[in-house]
């Protein structure tokens, strides 16, 4: 590979660990809290690593999470 080539990042890795992912989670959490107060029931479809589901749960929401990826299901 040339010096100008950037190796591909495994799918999801940068999204789980990166600042963009954290920004999205905080934004969604603020929106849920504004719309539903500090409790309610949420479906996290395509929950990935489950990080948003865990944050919502900590805030008092009942969270149902589903994920298709076997790797993420095992992680969650």
């Amino acid at each position: 590979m040339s010096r100008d080539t950037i190796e591909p990042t495994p799918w999801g890795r940068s999204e789980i660990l990166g600042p963009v992912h954290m920004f999205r989670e905080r934004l969604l959490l603020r929106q849920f809290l504004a719309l539903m107060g500090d409790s309610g029931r949420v479906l996290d479809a395509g929950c990935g690593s489950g990080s948003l589901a865990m944050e919502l749960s900590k805030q008092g929401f009942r969270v149902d999470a589903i994920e298709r990826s076997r790797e993420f299901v095992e992680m969650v």
Side-chain angles (χ1 to χ4, degrees):
M1 298 200 144
S2 76
R3 290 178 35 204
D4 298 329
T5 303
I6 298 173
E7 291 290 324
T9 302
W11 181 87
R13 182 170 176 232
S14 63
E15 292 301 309
I16 294 170
L17 303 175
V20 173
H21 176 75
M22 290 176 63
F23 172 79
R24 282 188 218 141
E25 274 193 1
R26 299 296 174 246
L27 179 64
L28 288 169
L29 187 57
R30 283 193 308 269
Q31 289 178 340
F32 277 116
L33 290 170
L35 292 171
M36 299 173 65
D38 60 357
S39 65
R41 189 169 183 183
V42 177
L43 171 63
D44 187 355
C47 68
S49 67
S51 58
L52 177 61
M54 294 300 290
E55 288 299 319
L56 289 166
S57 179
K58 288 177 189 176
Q59 293 294 322
F61 291 94
R62 176 172 175 205
V63 182
D64 296 300
I66 58 172
E67 175 57 50
R68 183 175 182 187
S69 165
R70 179 175 296 161
E71 292 83 8
F72 281 134
V73 168
E74 290 173 5
M75 181 187 299
V76 174

